[in-house]
Amino acid sequence: MSVGGAVGGERLFVSHAGADRAWAEWVAWQLQDAGYEVELDVWHWGAGENFVLRMNQALEQGRMVALFSEAYFDTARFTTEEWTAVLAAREKWVPVRIEAVSVPPIVKPLLAPELFGLEEEQARGVLLRAVQGPPGAPHSPPGFPGNGGVGRLRQVGGTGPRLPGSLPRVWNLPSRNAGFTGRDELLVEVRTRLADTRQVAVLALNGWGGVGKTQLAIEYAYRFSGEYELAWWVRAEDTALIPEQLAALAVATGCARPDTPQAEAVAALGVELRTRARWLLIFDNAEDPAALAGYLPAASGHVLITSRNPRWHRVAAPVDVAVLARAESVALLQDRTRSLSEGDADRLAAALDDLPLALVQAAETLTAFTPDQYLALLERNASEATEDGTPPDYPHSLAAQVRVNMQRLAGQDPYAADLLRACALLAPEPFPLHACTPAGAAGVDGANSSSMAGMLSDTRAVRRVLTVVDRFGLARVVGGTFQLHRLTQAILRDQLTPAQHARAAGDASLLLAAAYPGDASDPATWPRWLDVLPHLLAIAPSELINSQARYAASLACWHLMERGNARTVLPRVEDLHRTWTSRLGPDHHDSMVAAVILSRALGSTQNHSRARALDEDILARKRRVLGDDHPDTLNSASNLASCLADLGLTEQARALAEDTLARQQRVLGDDHPHTLNTASHLASCLAEMGLTEQARTVAEDTLARQQRVLGDDHPHTLITASHLASCLADLGLTEQARALAEDTLARQQRVLGDDHPHTLNTVSHLANRLAEMGQTEEARAAGEEILARMRRVLGDDHPDTLNTASNLAIRLAEMGQTDEARALGEEILARMRRVLGDDHPHTLNTAGHLSNRLVDLGQTDEARALREEILARMRRVLGDDHPDTLRTADTLRDVRQPRTAN
């Protein structure tokens, strides 16, 4: 390692405590860069080697650089043997301080300059001067000064660790816990397991709730911050929210712009991380290994996962986070309660099972209770918590402590207690209190009599409440958001009396209504949905007390469907509809809103028959309750028309859509979004019926209006644009169709993402345009790619997946792969008959394509029989004059054999 020079190739051994590994690596790198030959245990000693022997060898070959810290002088550590051995041999050593520490009397006479609290270059200078000693005559020839003073490793592009404690530029971690105690061995284990691999290292910190997994991950990131160029925190409990957070990291690293589509930004981040090696991602509160696996980067970096779920073996190397060691528990309690004796701390730690959260809460309570009083209270309340139904995996002592702290909080600030009780009914994620505007709170049912509304209308009261909550340690307050610890939240929820529960439900409903982000279909509101969405999805439907909160919860489901997550949200919508119908009655406005959203979720998950029945019931109720021309009634009629079209009942869909459109134009006006939505549905119906010119006229007019009213990038505008592109293609205007489809696709990818169902459908249409332009090979390749994506995102039996597969079969036939085309066509036809029914237009079209394959293979009898069946169904379903019916009749004549007389 030595390059000679002023240091003469001297060998140095870096002695450090395991907890100070970050400092040790920084010091070793700086010394090596300066030309010294360095030995560091974590770099050069392998697993299973004799520690004492290697240490003695190192001390015999050179001086020792000792990193003084509290941990270094712990008598239980090997560092004690190292520094005492040096003193015994009267060898020279170089002590430096890396934190404020009281050293043993025997080494107090030694000068130990401080490295902490300095800028990095200053600290490097102090370290090198300490190692070099006072200036004097050199013992070897001076080194060549031609490198301009640049260190040896840096001359060849080396980038060593930054000064420990300095934070990377790209960093979004929560604040560090100033009271973090112990865990040194576990931190060393985490660092060792992450650092001792050249591949991406993924560790899952798992253990009991409240055991300190999150705090351990945060402490690791801060303690080893100098080892990373970037570190990013991802809230991972809801995997649907992960991509937006990774996209934010892509923006922070500069590999994506703020307006880059989410999926594109995440993909760019993957490429960026492959060019880096010193990065750390922390996925906090992840619960589903399979769901998280797709978001783990395939690059050389470090990943930490915190989870209550221990089953991470296929995704990550598990690290068990157990309770604190007794000595650490005692130290934690005494550090936070200075007058507490070691004996009392030991008794408290034993009663609290050494659980970190319980210990912290106990320390807070001890400001008002003696240890004996607290232990007696803990004993009484533990059985009460069990009787109240506290989950069995939560320590009783923790539940009791939550009750004690809530009693104190309510006595000091009732508003703060109300806020925490309300949030006990919400998700265990930060609640965006900053999004609850006074105007939004004032418009909520019952707000005039709500103390919560009064608090939200007074910014000083909000600040006061958050200050009190933060001080009690029951919730974390950051940037206008507050978050209950998940264990605290669950126990607090179980401890609510019936009266408190009712009040909390009213307050939680007011908070959710006041934080409503706006139109769920408008992409401009989507960033505001991120923080409030988990709470709208988590609260029990029965706890949504006012109509505004129920509407917000319903629209949260609509928002997720707009983002292509219908399958995920369906159980939640069913729960909302079932609960409100039972409690409020089926004719209540909120019940019918939930019914409308449930119908859409059913349709989006291919349960069209159930969706139709629900739509028909909704329409009948609204006509009876509101009248035929009420805007809500007309909106439901439009929804039913769309459902009928999905079922292949195109003529009925057209008739209802035309009637509804005429009424909406009269009642709402030509440019109302609901009117335009119905017009878009009508254009689609007309195209399905073969009335392509009419469909084009309606689609062009609707698109122009939507672009003016909603904007070019609104999802509803883009749906109409995609319909129009298909109409243009059916009319033979292939170039115009392709240009419009490409523009629509680019906008959908930016607004909705690559895997949104609407985006995938447009890509499928573009593949057809390539085929129409004679680019068959390109069309086939595109078809295969989009089919694979649709199967992954939508499922094998989704109508869009089946249509894309049917088109791919046509491409295969055009390339002469007739057998493969027939096999795929038969599979798709069987699926369509099962999913859509024998008479659905898409089923009949696919059957027609399959009959063509039979003709290609010379199986004319089978082809003729199939076409006769298709023609009979088309005449009944589509009518004699539908273009598909006429086309099928022509092809049937082509395969009929002339009859002969018997």
Side-chain angles (χ1 to χ4, degrees), residues 16 18 21 24-25 39-45 188 192 195-196:
H16 68 100
R21 175 170 174 167
E25 291 185 355
E39 183 163 357
L40 179 64
D41 56 356
V42 296
W43 283 0
H44 303 119
W45 297 358
V188 171
T192 301
D196 291 351

Side-chain angles (χ1 to χ4, degrees), residues 568-805:
T568 302
V569 82
L570 178 59
R572 172 65 173 179
V573 186
E574 289 182 315
D575 193 17
L576 297 179
H577 177 253
R578 180 173 53 252
T579 302
W580 296 341
T581 299
S582 173
R583 288 173 174 259
L584 306 174
D587 290 343
H588 192 281
H589 175 266
D590 298 342
S591 300
M592 287 196 281
V593 168
V596 168
I597 297 176
L598 175 57
S599 172
R600 179 181 173 184
L602 291 169
S604 298
T605 54
Q606 315 321 309
N607 197 337
H608 296 297
S609 296
R610 188 179 165 200
R612 176 187 180 180
L614 191 56
D615 277 336
E616 289 175 338
D617 179 72
I618 296 167
L619 181 57
R621 291 181 184 279
K622 287 188 175 180
R623 281 173 172 168
R624 174 170 50 80
V625 175
L626 303 175
D628 290 347
D629 287 345
H630 190 281
D632 288 353
T633 304
L634 296 175
N635 200 36
S636 291
S638 180
N639 292 337
L640 177 57
S642 177
C643 183
L644 292 172
D646 289 336
L647 285 165
L649 304 174
T650 316
E651 187 60 57
Q652 296 180 47
R654 174 194 177 181
L656 182 56
E658 287 179 335
D659 175 72
T660 303
L661 179 61
R663 292 174 183 271
Q664 287 176 320
Q665 288 171 333
R666 184 177 72 252
V667 174
L668 301 174
D670 292 343
D671 289 343
H672 192 281
H674 292 176
T675 305
L676 297 174
N677 200 38
T678 302
S680 182
H681 291 328
L682 177 58
S684 180
C685 285
L686 292 170
E688 286 286 342
M689 296 176 67
L691 303 173
T692 314
E693 278 291 358
Q694 294 181 45
R696 174 189 179 181
T697 301
V698 175
E700 287 179 335
D701 177 70
T702 303
L703 179 60
R705 293 177 184 275
Q706 285 178 320
Q707 288 172 333
R708 185 176 69 252
V709 174
L710 303 177
D712 293 341
D713 289 343
H714 194 284
H716 296 177
T717 305
L718 298 175
I719 290 173
T720 304
S722 186
H723 290 333
L724 178 56
S726 296
C727 288
L728 295 173
D730 290 341
L731 291 168
L733 303 173
T734 308
E735 281 291 352
Q736 294 181 44
R738 178 180 179 178
L740 179 57
E742 286 177 342
D743 176 72
T744 302
L745 176 61
R747 295 176 186 276
Q748 287 174 325
Q749 288 172 328
R750 184 173 67 252
V751 175
L752 304 175
D754 288 340
D755 286 342
H756 192 283
H758 295 169
T759 307
L760 296 175
N761 207 31
T762 301
V763 176
S764 183
H765 291 328
L766 267 173
N768 294 339
R769 304 296 83 80
L770 291 173
E772 291 162 1
M773 298 175 69
Q775 301 176 34
T776 309
E777 179 60 44
E778 293 87 342
R780 188 198 72 169
E784 289 175 341
E785 178 187 353
I786 192 60
L787 178 59
R789 289 169 60 190
M790 282 184 164
R791 283 173 168 164
R792 174 172 53 82
V793 175
L794 304 177
D796 291 340
D797 289 340
H798 192 282
D800 290 347
T801 305
L802 297 175
N803 285 334
T804 298

Side-chain angles (χ1 to χ4, degrees), residues 17-95:
D20 301 323
R21 175 170 174 167
W23 273 105
E25 291 185 355
W26 182 84
V27 166
W29 197 93
Q30 302 300 329
L31 295 174
Q32 188 170 294
D33 183 50
Y36 291 94
E37 186 172 358
V38 177
E39 183 163 357
L40 179 64
D41 56 356
V42 296
W43 283 0
H44 303 119
W45 297 358
E49 291 194 50
N50 187 306
F51 180 90
V52 176
L53 179 61
R54 289 301 305 267
M55 180 183 69
N56 287 336
Q57 291 173 345
L59 294 176
E60 289 173 359
Q61 295 173 6
R63 289 187 295 165
M64 182 178 81
V65 178
L67 308 188
F68 282 8
S69 68
E70 286 288 348
Y72 190 81
F73 292 107
D74 187 336
T75 55
R77 299 180 184 275
F78 274 110
T79 49
T80 301
E81 298 182 15
E82 293 173 10
W83 66 264
T84 54
V86 172
L87 284 179
R90 301 188 180 277
E91 296 287 342
K92 292 183 178 180
W93 64 334
V94 182

Side-chain angles (χ1 to χ4, degrees), residues 95-106:
V96 292
R97 298 174 190 256
I98 58 174
E99 65 181 34
V101 57
S102 298
V103 301
I106 194 171

Side-chain angles (χ1 to χ4, degrees), residues 69 281 462 631 739 830:
S69 68
L281 295 184
V462 172

Side-chain angles (χ1 to χ4, degrees), residues 178-192:
F180 187 89
T181 300
R183 301 293 199 190
D184 285 351
E185 292 183 4
L186 194 53
L187 285 165
V188 171
E189 178 187 354
V190 170
R191 176 60 187 170
T192 301

